[in-house]
Every structure is written in structure tokens, then in C-alpha cells.
Amino acid sequence: QVRLVESGGGLVQAGGSLRLSCAASGSTFSSYAMGWFRQAPGKEREVVATISRSGGTTYYANSVKGRFTISRDTAKITVYLQMNSLNPEDTAVYSCAAQRRYLYDATFGADYWGQGTQVTVSS
């Protein structure tokens, strides 16, 4: 069992930055690939970034490439999403997810989800 708790969301002006954190419980954190997803009002949930179990392989959606960075700290059993150069199109509820695979495969469902954190970017 893995429990995920996100934090770090909020209101920021366009061009600003936020860092989201996803704190995981349980001693099996290193067994899971992790991902950040977002869902804007009226839109489907989309994958933002993923990171492999080892942290050595990452994936970014084209819309965030070069602006967002995903990382994981095994000692702190936390996954981060550093978001820079935010724009209003980034406004959404951001959720982290855990998948018991080496590489995160978004075509498969997550094993665990966090509750989500709201990110709002004003123009």
C-alpha cells in the first residue's frame, strides 16, 4: 500500500514558478515509477511528466518540455515537479501517481493516486 500526498500548488502569475511535492508513504517507494498528471476544467487528464523507478529516465509532455523538471528523492520518498515559466494554460489540478513498473507507462492505469493540488496561473 502506498499513500501519496501532494503539496505546493497555489496561485501564481504568468512567468512564475512553483514546485510541487508528492510525499509517499511506505517502504516500497523505490519499487514504483512515478508520474505527474493534470486535469484542467472540461478537459481530460493528461500526463505531464514521468520518472523511472531509478530516477534515471524521465519523460515530458511536449507542452511542458524545457519548462518543467521531474525528480525524485528516495531518502525523502518524495517526487517533485519544478514548474518554471508558467502560463495560464498550465492551470489545472495536478496529481501524482505511482505505478509498479520500472518505466511509467501511461497506457496502463496507476496503482495509486494522490488527491491532487490546484495550480492556477493568472495572466
Side-chain angles (χ1 to χ4, degrees):
Q1 187 80 10
V2 176
R3 182 167 176 258
L4 305 174
V5 179
E6 301 97 333
S7 61
L11 174 65
V12 64
Q13 287 188 330
S17 298
L18 284 174
R19 187 176 81 155
L20 305 183
S21 298
C22 173
S25 65
S27 60
T28 58
F29 176 69
S30 59
S31 299
Y32 292 83
M34 302 295 295
W36 282 100
F37 292 75
R38 68 185 181 186
Q39 186 166 22
K43 294 187 176 180
E44 292 188 355
R45 184 169 57 199
E46 62 175 353
V47 59
V48 175
T50 66
I51 189 165
S52 63
R53 206 162 60 193
S54 69
T57 302
T58 56
Y59 161 85
Y60 296 94
N62 287 334
S63 58
V64 306
K65 203 172 291 184
R67 299 188 298 123
F68 291 11
T69 303
I70 188 171
S71 61
R72 66 189 295 162
D73 185 329
T74 301
K76 295 182 179 179
I77 53 174
T78 300
V79 177
Y80 303 98
L81 185 68
Q82 177 67 43
M83 306 186 295
N84 299 326
S85 302
L86 286 161
N87 58 63
E89 290 70 40
D90 296 316
T91 295
V93 175
Y94 285 71
S95 301
C96 67
Q99 195 180 68
R100 199 176 178 94
R101 303 172 67 92
Y102 180 74
L103 294 175
Y104 200 103
D105 188 339
T107 62
F108 293 92
D111 292 297
Y112 300 99
W113 286 98
Q115 85 288 351
T117 185
Q118 176 71 46
V119 171
T120 303
V121 185
S122 63
S123 58

